[in-house]
Amino acid sequence: MKIFDKMRRFLSHTGGNVAVIFSLALGPIAILSGGAVDVSQAMNSRARLAEAMDAAALAVGGQTNLNDAQATQVAWDYINANYPEREIGTVQSINVHINRDDGVVTVTGQSSVQTTLLGLMGMDSIDVNWVSEVRQSRQALELAMVLDNTGSMGGSKIRALRDAALLLTDVLYSNGDPDRLSISLVPFAATVNVGREFERVWWLDPDGESPVHAEWAGEGQDVTTCTGRGRRRVCTTETIQAINWDLFDSLRNTSWEGCVEARMLPLDIEDVAADASRPETLFVPYFAPDEPDIGGYNNDYLDDDRGLNGIIERISGLLKYDNGRPSGGDPNRACTTTPITPLTNSRRTIENAISDMGASGNTNIPNGIGWGVRVLSPQAPFTEGSDFGDRDTLKAMVILTDGENVMSGNNGYFMSEYSAYGYAVHGRLGRRTASSGQLSDALDERTAAACRYAREQGIRVYTITFQVNSSSTRNMMRDCASHPSLYFDSPSSSALREAFNLIAGDLSNLRLSR
């Protein structure tokens, strides 16, 4: 009986059940724990697959001329570059679909991740999938390249600028619909050249109505003309107002080269339409007057009228222009750039204009920006642009300079060299001073105002400084851009090329839609 009692007590004892149950459950717990690691690796693989496929979709979407086979190869190239073999998982397949009607590129793909402990349960791999979709922007692009062509850009710098601008053009034409792409080139120095084909057009004030027309000559001169002799001698006096066009016509072997002067503030930077009923809105051909034979002036190219002694009388004397032959100076003195190229979708036209750029003259950044806005405008002087605010068109401007604004002041009567803003003595820039520093500061203020005005028109502004030492100029150009990220400081030719390349990528204007 005792033996049976002991057996009953043993069978009813529960002290060792936990250990038995744990030992039986240990295998499945270990497998499930290892399976969590496998699943985590699969999720990591999915994230890497998503990044690689997004890059592939962007690459395919940026090249509209690809056929299906080429698109698939481009996608594979980008996936292989962004999902190298060292990463967990292996891309098994991809599929590229291009909807050419709405510009949507869809890339689907699958990656397989080999499992470890889940394989013990018969699950040798985990497949993860991803879909990337890129929609190419349906907006047209109108771009103005406002580029410094001053003397400091000579030699290797102008060659680097040409190469970088050609790169930008190549990327934009290669990665987008050329029929929806228009580019303009605005070379600037001390003045901007609109082109000689506009000589005496209505907006260039052929009748001399603008208040800045030959303001150095005064409000008018009494000219007396006499005929006959003795009692038959008759003299008539008339008041003549100097007109730049007439002065060019009076000179021998000299004609207008295509440059224009700045309008009065604030019209100097604004896209206010030229209006014959408002003379201040008209543009004026650039004409640097013959400076007096006395006083050591730099632009003396004619002999002053006889009998004139004072500085004012000598510069305002108009008879010397009649049949005059300039020598030692030039009425086109600060007209040093090639003409503006209006918005065009002709790749050859813009590339030829870029290749023709030279380097001469001083720096007047606001003048360049003002004309950059005007070439993007739909109204005269240039009418190729779409309306500001057109939601189907992206308007952009790239502004490059390699130095500080310059307006040279001096201690002479005129207080400065003649520029697009005339002489400093007449205060057209807003300051009447002989200080070169203060005149340059005034140009900086107009630069900031011009950038602000361009942004207010909805223009996306990119800025570049090329080997600029002045921190104030770099800060000014950074603040000029639509966003600090759209400002590029380029200390070298390679950095300049990279800046233009980054701008081209941004202007490709692609967006991930899913």
Side-chain angles (χ1 to χ4, degrees):
M1 294 295 294
K2 292 181 177 181
I3 294 175
F4 289 107
D5 291 337
K6 289 180 178 181
M7 290 183 65
R8 282 195 297 270
R9 289 195 298 271
F10 174 77
L11 292 173
S12 63
H13 190 65
T14 60
N17 283 1
V18 174
V20 173
I21 294 171
F22 178 77
S23 64
L24 293 174
L26 182 60
I29 290 173
I31 293 174
L32 290 174
S33 298
V37 175
D38 288 336
V39 171
S40 176
Q41 289 184 325
M43 293 300 98
N44 290 335
S45 174
R46 185 173 184 266
R48 295 294 295 120
L49 178 66
E51 293 178 6
M53 290 182 60
D54 286 351
L58 283 168
V60 173
Q63 303 180 53
T64 58
N65 56 344
L66 299 176
N67 59 37
D68 292 342
Q70 292 170 329
T72 300
Q73 184 59 53
V74 168
W76 270 116
D77 290 342
Y78 272 78
I79 287 173
N80 290 333
N82 290 277
Y83 199 123
E85 292 182 357
R86 66 177 180 272
E87 297 290 344
I88 298 172
T90 303
V91 179
Q92 298 294 311
S93 62
I94 64 169
N95 179 268
V96 179
H97 176 70
I98 303 175
N99 187 326
R100 304 191 186 280
D101 293 328
D102 60 12
V104 174
V105 175
T106 305
V107 180
T108 59
Q110 183 181 83
S111 177
S112 180
V113 180
Q114 297 300 310
T115 61
T116 304
L117 291 179
L118 285 182
L120 299 176
M121 300 177 61
M123 186 182 296
D124 296 327
S125 63
I126 299 176
D127 294 334
V128 294
N129 300 280
W130 189 258
V131 178
S132 288
E133 185 175 280
V134 167
R135 185 183 304 275
Q136 187 174 27
S137 172
R138 308 307 292 175
Q139 285 184 314
L141 171 62
E142 294 177 355
L143 170 66
M145 289 193 282
V146 180
L147 306 180
D148 188 331
N149 278 201
T150 55
S152 59
M153 283 292 297
S156 61
K157 293 176 75 173
I158 193 67
R159 291 193 294 271
L161 176 58
R162 293 190 199 111
D163 290 343
L166 288 171
L167 170 65
L168 172 62
T169 302
D170 178 63
V171 172
L172 292 178
Y173 273 99
S174 299
N175 291 353
D177 182 355
D179 293 333
R180 297 180 64 78
L181 169 64
S182 297
I183 301 178
S184 170
L185 184 68
V186 182
F188 72 88
T191 61
V192 169
N193 191 328
V194 297
R196 296 180 63 179
E197 66 271 23
F198 294 112
E199 183 172 351
R200 273 190 161 87
V201 296
W202 68 269
W203 51 265
L204 263 172
D205 196 14
D207 298 323
E209 299 294 331
S210 169
V212 302
H213 242 296
E215 61 186 343
W216 45 267
E219 297 181 355
Q221 297 180 39
D222 291 336
V223 177
T224 301
T225 304
C226 298
T227 60
R229 295 181 179 180
R231 295 181 178 179
R232 296 182 179 180
R233 183 174 177 81
V234 176
C235 295
T236 58
T237 300
E238 61 178 330
T239 301
I240 297 177
Q241 176 64 51
I243 298 174
N244 290 1
W245 291 119
D246 295 343
L247 294 172
F248 272 118
D249 290 343
S250 299
L251 294 171
R252 299 169 59 188
N253 302 326
T254 301
S255 60
W256 178 61
E257 293 296 330
C259 291
V260 291
E261 301 191 7
R263 296 189 294 189
M264 298 176 66
L265 274 61
L267 299 177
D268 58 326
I269 61 168
E270 294 182 350
D271 181 45
V272 173
D275 184 346
S277 66
R278 298 177 59 202
E280 71 276 10
T281 66
L282 299 174
F283 294 91
V284 172
Y286 174 84
F287 185 94
D290 167 62
E291 295 180 338
D293 295 347
I294 59 175
Y297 291 98
N298 293 325
N299 199 31
D300 173 17
Y301 54 85
L302 296 172
D303 291 333
D304 294 342
D305 296 341
R306 294 180 180 179
L308 299 179
N309 296 315
I311 297 297
I312 299 176
E313 291 81 4
R314 285 175 178 269
I315 193 171
S316 60
L318 300 180
L319 293 179
K320 60 183 175 180
Y321 292 96
D322 188 17
N323 208 33
R325 185 192 296 268
S327 176
D330 190 352
N332 292 296
R333 186 181 185 192
C335 185
T336 61
T337 64
T338 53
I340 286 175
T341 301
L343 284 171
T344 176
N345 59 13
S346 169
R347 179 171 181 171
R348 175 173 294 183
T349 298
I350 200 67
E351 287 180 339
N352 288 343
I354 291 170
S355 298
D356 288 341
M357 289 192 306
S360 181
N362 290 331
T363 305
N364 185 334
I365 303 172
N367 205 26
I369 298 172
W371 283 100
V373 172
R374 292 176 193 124
V375 297
L376 294 173
S377 169
Q379 62 189 13
F382 298 97
T383 59
E384 292 80 8
S386 61
D387 290 338
F388 288 118
D390 179 3
R391 300 184 64 179
D392 292 328
T393 302
L394 171 65
K395 290 181 182 286
M397 185 187 302
V398 176
I399 308 167
L400 176 140
T401 185
D402 80 323
E404 304 172 53
N405 279 309
V406 175
M407 185 171 177
S408 300
N410 59 47
N411 292 323
Y413 171 80
F414 308 110
M415 295 185 172
S416 73
E417 301 291 325
Y418 198 80
S419 74
Y421 286 94
Y423 288 121
V425 70
H426 297 118
R428 202 191 307 177
L429 186 54
R431 295 192 190 183
R432 190 176 180 272
T433 176
S435 167
S436 295
Q438 291 187 33
L439 292 171
S440 295
D441 289 344
L443 285 175
D444 288 349
E445 292 172 3
R446 298 313 295 155
T447 300
C451 294
R452 183 168 56 252
Y453 182 83
R455 297 193 302 266
E456 289 171 352
Q457 310 315 304
I459 299 172
R460 185 172 178 82
V461 178
Y462 302 83
T463 57
I464 304 172
T465 48
F466 184 29
Q467 299 183 12
V468 171
N469 294 322
S470 167
S471 59
S472 61
T473 299
R474 293 197 300 269
N475 291 338
M476 177 183 70
M477 297 305 290
R478 180 200 61 213
D479 295 341
C480 175
S482 293
H483 187 274
S485 65
L486 302 184
Y487 162 66
F488 302 86
D489 182 36
S490 304
S492 65
S493 296
S494 60
L496 178 67
R497 185 177 177 87
E498 180 60 19
F500 272 83
N501 193 39
L502 290 171
I503 292 171
D506 190 55
L507 285 175
S508 294
N509 199 32
L510 298 170
R511 63 182 178 87
L512 282 172
S513 60
R514 187 164 73 188

